[in-house]
Coordinates of all heavy atoms in Angstrom, one line a residue:
L188 N 32.3 -19.4 5.1 CA 31.3 -18.8 4.3 C 30.2 -19.7 3.8 O 29.1 -19.5 3.8 CB 31.9 -18.0 3.1 CG 32.4 -16.7 3.5 CD1 33.0 -16.0 2.2 CD2 31.3 -15.8 4.0
P189 N 30.6 -21.0 3.2 CA 29.7 -21.9 2.7 C 28.8 -22.4 3.8 O 27.5 -22.6 3.5 CB 30.6 -23.2 2.3 CG 32.0 -22.6 2.0 CD 32.2 -21.4 3.0
Q190 N 29.1 -22.5 5.1 CA 28.2 -23.0 6.1 C 27.3 -21.8 6.5 O 26.2 -22.0 6.7 CB 29.0 -23.3 7.4 CG 29.8 -24.6 7.3 CD 30.6 -25.0 8.5 OE1 29.9 -25.5 9.3 NE2 31.9 -24.8 8.6
A191 N 27.9 -20.5 6.5 CA 27.2 -19.4 6.9 C 26.1 -19.1 6.0 O 24.9 -18.7 6.2 CB 28.1 -18.2 7.2
F192 N 26.3 -19.3 4.6 CA 25.3 -18.9 3.6 C 24.1 -19.7 3.7 O 23.0 -19.2 3.4 CB 25.9 -19.1 2.2 CG 26.7 -17.9 1.7 CD1 27.9 -17.9 1.4 CD2 26.0 -16.7 1.6 CE1 28.7 -16.8 0.8 CE2 26.7 -15.6 1.1 CZ 28.0 -15.6 0.8
R193 N 24.2 -21.0 4.3 CA 22.9 -21.7 4.4 C 22.1 -21.2 5.5 O 20.8 -21.1 5.3 CB 23.4 -23.2 4.8 CG 24.0 -24.0 3.7 CD 23.8 -25.4 4.1 NE 24.7 -25.8 5.2 CZ 26.0 -26.2 5.1 NH1 26.5 -26.4 3.8 NH2 26.6 -26.6 6.1
T194 N 22.6 -20.6 6.6 CA 21.8 -20.0 7.6 C 21.4 -18.6 7.1 O 20.3 -18.1 7.7 CB 22.6 -19.9 9.0 OG1 23.7 -19.3 8.8 CG2 22.8 -21.3 9.4
M195 N 22.2 -17.9 6.3 CA 22.0 -16.6 6.1 C 21.0 -16.4 4.8 O 20.5 -15.4 4.6 CB 23.3 -15.8 5.7 CG 24.1 -15.6 6.8 SD 25.7 -14.7 6.3 CE 26.4 -15.8 4.9
M196 N 20.7 -17.5 4.2 CA 20.0 -17.3 2.9 C 18.6 -16.8 3.1 O 18.2 -15.8 2.3 CB 19.9 -18.8 2.1 CG 19.1 -18.7 0.9 SD 20.1 -17.7 -0.4 CE 21.5 -18.7 -0.5
P197 N 17.7 -17.2 4.0 CA 16.5 -16.4 4.2 C 16.6 -15.0 4.4 O 15.8 -14.2 3.9 CB 15.8 -17.2 5.4 CG 16.5 -18.5 5.5 CD 18.0 -18.2 5.0
A198 N 17.5 -14.5 5.2 CA 17.7 -13.2 5.6 C 18.3 -12.4 4.3 O 17.8 -11.2 4.1 CB 18.8 -13.0 6.6
I199 N 19.1 -13.1 3.6 CA 19.6 -12.3 2.4 C 18.6 -12.0 1.3 O 18.4 -11.0 0.7 CB 20.9 -13.2 1.8 CG1 22.0 -13.0 2.7 CG2 21.3 -12.6 0.4 CD1 23.3 -13.8 2.3
V200 N 17.8 -13.1 1.0 CA 16.8 -13.1 0.0 C 15.6 -12.0 0.6 O 15.1 -11.3 -0.2 CB 16.1 -14.5 -0.2 CG1 14.9 -14.3 -1.0 CG2 17.2 -15.4 -0.8
S201 N 15.4 -12.0 1.9 CA 14.5 -11.0 2.4 C 14.9 -9.6 2.1 O 14.2 -8.7 1.7 CB 14.2 -11.2 3.9 OG 13.6 -12.5 4.1
Q202 N 16.3 -9.4 2.2 CA 16.8 -8.2 2.0 C 16.7 -7.7 0.4 O 16.6 -6.6 0.1 CB 18.4 -8.0 2.3 CG 18.9 -6.6 2.4 CD 18.1 -5.7 3.3 OE1 17.7 -6.1 4.3 NE2 17.9 -4.3 2.8
F203 N 16.8 -8.8 -0.4 CA 16.8 -8.6 -1.8 C 15.3 -8.2 -2.2 O 15.1 -7.4 -3.2 CB 17.2 -9.8 -2.6 CG 18.7 -10.1 -2.5 CD1 19.2 -11.4 -2.9 CD2 19.5 -9.1 -2.3 CE1 20.6 -11.6 -2.9 CE2 21.0 -9.3 -2.4 CZ 21.5 -10.6 -2.6
V204 N 14.3 -8.8 -1.5 CA 12.9 -8.3 -1.6 C 12.8 -6.9 -1.2 O 12.0 -6.2 -2.0 CB 12.0 -9.2 -0.8 CG1 10.6 -8.7 -0.8 CG2 12.0 -10.8 -1.3

Side-chain angles (χ1 to χ4, degrees):
L188 284 178
Q190 295 182 73
F192 271 122
R193 287 200 294 268
T194 60
M195 293 183 299
M196 186 59 65
I199 290 177
V200 174
S201 295
Q202 192 59 39
F203 288 158
V204 170

